[in-house]
Amino acid sequence: MKTRAYAASEAGGKLEPFDYETGQLKHDEVEIDIEYCGICYSDLSMLGNDWGITKYPFVPGHEIIGKISEVGNEVKHLKIGQYVGLGWRARSCLICDQCLNGYHNRCVKGEDVIVHRHGGFADKVRCQSVWAFPIPDNMDVKTAGPLFCGGITVFNPIIQNNVRPTDRVAVVGIGGLGHIALQFLHAWGCEVTAFSTNPDKEKEARELGADQFLNTLDTNALRSSANKFDMVLVTINQDLDWDTYINTLKPGGKLHIVGAAPPMKANVFALVSGEKSIGGSPIGGPGVIKMMLDFCSRHRIAPVIEQFPLSKVNDAMNHLKEGKARYRIVLTNDFK
Amino acid sequence: MKTRAYAASEAGGKLEPFDYETGQLKHDEVEIDIEYCGICYSDLSMLGNDWGITKYPFVPGHEIIGKISEVGNEVKHLKIGQYVGLGWRARSCLICDQCLNGYHNRCVKGEDVIVHRHGGFADKVRCQSVWAFPIPDNMDVKTAGPLFCGGITVFNPIIQNNVRPTDRVAVVGIGGLGHIALQFLHAWGCEVTAFSTNPDKEKEARELGADQFLNTLDTNALRSSANKFDMVLVTINQDLDWDTYINTLKPGGKLHIVGAAPPMKANVFALVSGEKSIGGSPIGGPGVIKMMLDFCSRHRIAPVIEQFPLSKVNDAMNHLKEGKARYRIVLTNDFK
């Protein structure tokens, strides 16, 4: 069986049509006929080999929606024709301590959709069945893809940090991840503040759920927000003046990073005296992903997307790279 | 009323006999006739004005044990003649959100025993009654003082991070704080590893509760302890190669700092990919202090001390400064 895809043959290269053989489906796998695939900033990072782990030819794409086309003979809970979503992770060992405790996302023997295997800028993709999640009936399949990487990445910190509806939370960066975080936290009942360098985003940020908007280029505004937030969720992957952000936390507050930012410098005294912490997390476990899907279904939460046909994938990647995406790009499979 | 004390008149100065007037006791205060006072490294830091907040004449001392000698007219729960302990904090506002939620140690309107007031290297000291804690009957008053700063500083992280008896915990630095942490964590049922630069401490560390001992000067041993600990509790106040320590945490693990270390540099990617965090805390709230005293009483936990008479306070301070204290120094009031 052949899979038709778009691949780059070198770091930063253009994505070109590329076919590859898939062989036989494993007993615990499913195959998905891809209809939609979101673009995540990590697709760009992997394309450029920014993390030194990319193998070429490289097929990006890990925010996948499609119908099950084949199931391995051990797979009983999914049916051919059923809509599922697949995100960053494609496999986990299921027997390490992390998997056994529900943290399959932290499994070090796991496999990721676009790391040393081919991703979702294609007509088909495969994964271990536990990582293919049925889409709730009332959810729009066109917009659901970005939930499986961008969405879970900002939902998981809410669960892991035990955020409560009484909390005040700031979201740093209103882009592909941040615009979903605003919706989650608003539905969660929190007071939500959007932190952005772009004042043009204020109106939309408020529509998405922000109660407050703070322009982070306004250093005075940032400094005067001392002792305000229970959690500051950092969705950007740049270096920050971390101490200024830590200063905006209440005593006991948590700075939570989900972007691949460069090494940080931070004042230890502020952490100790204010009982504050700095943490991070990658996507979320399968139990938390199901919880997120149910929450989105009940609260009508959906990524705000722009659509490109898969055949225009290079234009779409440039659009993201230039910071123009509002707020997540989804590719539509136009093979045939 | 005169209080007799030892004070320094300038940064790093010798402690000399010093009397001061106390005036009338406030309605919510108690006065304590001091019998014992531990020495904490922060007494040295404050003496040297390392944090820029010291006022002179400066009377150190904030690990105080003595008998109540007077109670303010609003104080109903403490009685004259009763043994109490007093630590770093002397007052909190009781009405801010932090106080109302049990985190009086984070109250920003609080008052600390040796900051802009006189401490426990004296025959008497006063505090808001909520910060004077009755000593359990079976506890030795001679050794109990260090629990009220050193002890609570390492007990609070166990509570705040929800450490469980199934956890593996490392204690970095086996000194005044670390030697109490080993006892707490052993009694807590954890697997305990002592991290120290001094191999001569191994035997005692094991007697105090360590299951393992790791010489942190052995960089290979440190590097090969990857993914091992649920919590790494840092009790020292020096700069570390933080990434190496973060690497010893399991996925989901917490690095918790209680020393006044200089600004830190850390790899964000390791925090995000391993869902790890770096936090800190200052002493603990009054509810947690009472919990600690009860736990020490039930498990027969006590600081290991060396005694000096208060009249030899300068020798005692030098002994600590030279790193010779095994493990905490307690001064005995020999006024009269």
Side-chain angles (χ1 to χ4, degrees):
Chain A
M1 291 276 292
K2 265 203 179 355
T3 296
R4 291 183 293 169
Y6 282 83
S9 55
E10 57 179 6
K14 207 175 159 185
L15 295 164
E16 309 275 8
F18 165 75
D19 290 357
Y20 69 96
E21 281 294 334
T22 44
Q24 206 166 353
L25 194 69
K26 290 184 188 144
H27 296 325
D28 65 350
E29 282 186 335
V30 296
E31 184 166 80
I32 303 167
D33 265 351
I34 301 175
E35 297 189 10
Y36 306 99
C37 186
I39 311 183
C40 174
Y41 206 89
S42 56
D43 290 314
L44 274 175
S45 304
M46 284 290 293
L47 177 62
N49 197 21
D50 295 357
W51 304 332
I53 56 171
T54 311
K55 279 199 176 165
Y56 300 90
F58 169 66
V59 180
H62 58 274
E63 294 188 336
I64 297 161
I65 300 288
K67 285 182 182 160
I68 301 272
S69 56
E70 195 183 344
V71 298
N73 58 24
E74 286 170 7
V75 180
K76 308 294 177 202
H77 71 293
L78 295 173
K79 290 190 170 45
I80 289 173
Q82 181 176 17
Y83 267 117
V84 293
L86 165 65
W88 175 260
R89 180 133 274 202
R91 176 173 291 278
S92 47
C93 80
L94 305 184
I95 55 156
C96 72
D97 289 350
Q98 297 299 329
C99 284
L100 289 177
N101 286 296
Y103 301 110
H104 309 58
N105 54 320
R106 302 176 187 165
C107 170
V108 294
K109 290 178 181 158
E111 190 176 288
D112 300 321
V113 171
I114 62 167
V115 182
H116 299 186
R117 43 159 287 166
H118 297 314
F121 291 3
D123 66 349
K124 288 196 200 73
V125 73
R126 293 175 174 188
C127 69
Q128 189 182 32
S129 69
V130 71
W131 289 101
F133 298 90
I135 305 295
D137 286 340
N138 72 344
M139 190 173 276
D140 184 350
V141 290
K142 282 194 293 299
T143 58
L147 291 175
F148 289 88
C149 180
I152 187 60
T153 296
V154 294
F155 188 80
N156 191 41
I158 299 173
I159 302 298
Q160 301 309 330
N161 292 312
N162 196 24
V163 171
R164 297 181 297 183
T166 48
D167 286 350
R168 287 177 162 74
V169 180
V171 177
V172 183
I174 309 305
L177 274 62
H179 91 282
I180 309 178
L182 294 179
Q183 296 182 70
F184 285 152
L185 290 161
H186 175 71
W188 209 260
C190 298
E191 189 195 63
V192 187
T193 302
F195 277 23
S196 173
T197 54
N198 183 352
D200 293 346
K201 289 187 178 172
E202 173 161 0
K203 185 168 171 287
E204 283 181 332
R206 289 186 183 272
E207 285 164 8
L208 288 162
D211 300 291
Q212 314 285 341
F213 185 91
L214 190 147
N215 182 342
T216 46
L217 296 179
D218 179 352
T219 338
N220 285 336
L222 200 51
R223 293 229 172 93
S224 66
S225 297
N227 295 322
K228 201 165 164 190
F229 302 108
D230 297 280
M231 179 168 80
V232 172
L233 179 61
V234 180
T235 72
I236 61 179
N237 55 8
Q238 292 145 32
D239 193 29
L240 291 175
D241 176 0
W242 295 102
D243 290 336
T244 307
Y245 286 82
I246 290 167
N247 186 50
T248 69
L249 292 171
K250 280 184 198 169
K254 294 167 185 201
L255 184 88
H256 194 99
I257 308 170
V258 294
M264 73 189 317
K265 271 187 80 169
N267 186 320
V268 171
F269 207 81
L271 297 180
V272 173
S273 64
E275 203 160 334
K276 297 174 177 181
S277 69
I278 306 166
S281 61
I283 58 163
V288 182
I289 292 174
K290 288 190 69 175
M291 209 185 285
M292 170 191 72
L293 292 172
D294 180 56
F295 190 71
C296 289
S297 163
R298 290 198 295 112
H299 288 273
R300 295 295 188 164
I301 291 169
V304 176
I305 67 156
E306 295 179 85
Q307 282 189 302
F308 282 73
L310 181 53
S311 55
K312 300 275 185 199
V313 61
N314 292 295
D315 295 346
M317 293 287 268
N318 282 332
H319 192 64
L320 172 61
K321 201 171 183 174
E322 290 164 359
K324 292 181 181 163
R326 292 294 179 278
Y327 284 86
R328 200 70 160 179
I329 301 167
V330 172
L331 301 167
T332 307
N333 177 3
D334 62 345
F335 274 119
K336 266 174 281 196
Chain B
M1 290 276 292
K2 264 202 180 355
T3 296
R4 291 182 293 169
Y6 281 83
S9 55
E10 57 179 3
K14 207 175 159 186
L15 295 165
E16 308 274 10
F18 165 75
D19 290 357
Y20 69 96
E21 280 294 334
T22 45
Q24 204 164 354
L25 194 71
K26 290 184 187 144
H27 296 325
D28 65 350
E29 282 185 334
V30 297
E31 184 166 79
I32 303 168
D33 265 351
I34 301 174
E35 297 189 11
Y36 306 99
C37 186
I39 310 182
C40 175
Y41 206 90
S42 57
D43 290 312
L44 274 175
S45 304
M46 285 290 293
L47 177 62
N49 197 21
D50 295 355
W51 304 333
I53 56 172
T54 311
K55 279 200 176 164
Y56 300 89
F58 168 65
V59 179
H62 58 275
E63 294 187 336
I64 297 162
I65 299 289
K67 286 183 182 160
I68 301 270
S69 56
E70 196 182 343
V71 298
N73 58 23
E74 285 170 8
V75 180
K76 307 294 176 203
H77 70 294
L78 295 173
K79 289 191 167 47
I80 289 173
Q82 181 176 16
Y83 267 116
V84 293
L86 165 64
W88 176 260
R89 180 134 273 201
R91 176 174 291 278
S92 48
C93 81
L94 306 184
I95 55 156
C96 72
D97 289 350
Q98 297 300 330
C99 284
L100 289 177
N101 286 295
Y103 301 111
H104 308 59
N105 54 319
R106 302 176 188 165
C107 170
V108 294
K109 291 178 182 158
E111 190 176 287
D112 300 320
V113 171
I114 62 168
V115 181
H116 299 186
R117 44 159 285 167
H118 297 315
F121 291 2
D123 66 350
K124 289 197 200 74
V125 72
R126 293 174 175 189
C127 70
Q128 188 182 31
S129 69
V130 72
W131 290 101
F133 298 90
I135 305 296
D137 287 339
N138 71 344
M139 190 174 275
D140 184 351
V141 290
K142 283 194 292 298
T143 58
L147 292 174
F148 290 88
C149 181
I152 187 60
T153 296
V154 294
F155 187 82
N156 191 41
I158 299 172
I159 301 299
Q160 302 308 330
N161 291 311
N162 195 25
V163 171
R164 297 179 299 182
T166 48
D167 287 350
R168 288 178 162 72
V169 180
V171 177
V172 182
I174 308 307
L177 274 63
H179 91 282
I180 309 178
L182 295 180
Q183 296 182 69
F184 285 152
L185 291 161
H186 175 71
W188 208 262
C190 298
E191 189 195 65
V192 187
T193 302
F195 277 22
S196 173
T197 54
N198 184 352
D200 294 345
K201 289 187 178 172
E202 175 163 358
K203 186 169 170 285
E204 282 182 334
R206 289 186 183 271
E207 285 165 7
L208 288 162
D211 300 290
Q212 314 285 341
F213 185 92
L214 191 147
N215 181 342
T216 47
L217 297 179
D218 178 352
T219 338
N220 285 336
L222 200 51
R223 293 229 172 95
S224 66
S225 298
N227 294 322
K228 202 164 163 189
F229 302 109
D230 297 280
M231 179 169 81
V232 172
L233 179 61
V234 180
T235 72
I236 62 179
N237 56 8
Q238 292 146 32
D239 193 29
L240 291 175
D241 176 0
W242 294 101
D243 290 336
T244 306
Y245 286 82
I246 290 165
N247 186 52
T248 68
L249 292 170
K250 279 185 199 168
K254 295 167 183 198
L255 184 87
H256 194 99
I257 307 171
V258 293
M264 72 188 316
K265 272 187 79 169
N267 186 320
V268 171
F269 207 81
L271 297 181
V272 173
S273 63
E275 202 159 333
K276 297 174 177 182
S277 69
I278 306 166
S281 61
I283 58 165
V288 183
I289 292 175
K290 288 190 70 175
M291 209 185 285
M292 171 191 71
L293 292 173
D294 180 54
F295 190 71
C296 290
S297 162
R298 290 198 296 111
H299 288 273
R300 295 296 188 163
I301 292 170
V304 176
I305 66 156
E306 295 180 85
Q307 282 189 302
F308 281 73
L310 181 53
S311 55
K312 300 276 184 197
V313 61
N314 292 296
D315 294 345
M317 293 288 267
N318 282 333
H319 192 65
L320 172 62
K321 203 172 183 174
E322 290 165 0
K324 292 182 182 162
R326 292 293 179 277
Y327 284 88
R328 200 72 161 178
I329 300 167
V330 172
L331 300 167
T332 306
N333 177 3
D334 62 346
F335 273 119
K336 266 176 279 195

